[in-house]
Amino acid sequence: MTEILALRAFDDNYIWLLRSAGYAAVVDPGDAAPVLAHLEQSGDRLCAVLATHHHPDHVGGLAEILGRFPVPVFGPRLENIAGVSHPLEGGERIELPQLALELEVISVPGHTRGHIAYYGPSLGDSGALFCGDTLFGAGCGRLFEGTPTQMLDSLSRLAVLPAPTLVYCAHEYTQSNMRFALAVEPDNIAIQKRSEDVARERAANRATIPTRIQLELETNPFLRWDAPGVRAAAASRLGHQPADAVETFTAIREWKNRF
């Protein structure tokens, strides 16, 4: 059984570490220090690094880690990340034999041009998704390099994963995202309950990640572009009914940018 650990970095980043039988792989090591500390303390042997996109808080620790452990590095083909030995663009299946694990690679551009995600359907009882900065707890990434249409398409690919799938995103943003979700759909009972749950967890300094696909479908406005409440909220921002899902998504994303 592969164990998934959260290594905290910076103010709100998660570096995800997958470990089994004395081996480990890390996802988005923006900071080398917590990764190296874990390896030293646990005795785990690093076998791979997985990068979702090129932002420094996701790959900034890569050079130092590779200086100590020259392991395979998987990452997006369309982005310039020094050290990537296995470039990917989505649609591939990669194997981590030391962990007896196969992962599917999903293309999810929007936040960045070549952003990818890793999905392990056999991880745990429910499967696991490592989605970087594409899908957050109750939110989605800003559109730094991609278009609303790209991000909507990317989120659509994640939304159809099995409902119980655990979602391991890269930031602890859920509480602030829930405040926005409440503004979009103030009468949504599921959002109200999740807001209370998240506030309680954060007050105790507990993580709200991983989340699940099902919970995001119920409470994340960026996966609810067809929900009447979200369309109504978009219409109030636009001054007219949105013509389609892209216009709804764009209006909600631009509102969030200024929220």
Side-chain angles (χ1 to χ4, degrees), residues 12 67 78 246:
D12 51 39
L78 295 179
V246 173

Side-chain angles (χ1 to χ4, degrees), residues 102-253:
E102 182 179 79
L103 299 173
E104 300 174 13
V105 182
I106 306 172
S107 174
V108 286
H111 181 65
T112 64
R113 177 169 170 257
H115 203 304
I116 57 177
Y118 301 90
Y119 171 55
S122 64
L123 267 171
D125 296 330
S126 307
L129 172 71
F130 302 92
C131 54
D133 286 357
T134 296
L135 175 65
F136 294 129
C140 75
R142 286 179 178 266
L143 305 183
F144 288 120
E145 299 173 13
T147 67
T149 298
Q150 284 180 314
M151 182 62 99
L152 184 66
D153 288 345
S154 295
L155 291 170
S156 297
R157 293 186 194 106
L158 304 183
V160 297
L161 293 175
T165 301
L166 288 167
V167 178
Y168 293 86
C169 59
H171 291 275
E172 181 57 72
Y173 287 166
T174 314
Q175 189 165 29
S176 62
N177 287 341
M178 289 308 305
R179 288 193 283 269
F180 179 69
L182 272 173
V184 176
E185 292 188 276
D187 298 326
N188 184 315
I189 294 174
I191 291 176
Q192 294 170 9
K193 180 181 184 304
R194 187 180 185 189
S195 295
E196 295 170 358
D197 293 343
V198 167
R200 184 167 54 251
E201 294 303 295
R202 295 308 295 150
N205 198 32
R206 290 192 290 262
T208 65
I209 305 299
T211 174
R212 291 187 187 271
I213 291 292
Q214 182 63 48
L215 184 58
E216 298 310 311
L217 291 171
E218 295 170 353
T219 60
N220 187 330
F222 298 105
L223 294 187
R224 294 176 54 76
W225 50 81
D226 286 333
V230 176
R231 287 181 53 81
S236 71
R237 308 298 295 182
L238 294 165
H240 60 81
Q241 286 296 320
D244 53 24
V246 173
E247 191 171 21
T248 299
F249 176 83
T250 302
I252 298 300
R253 182 61 258 183

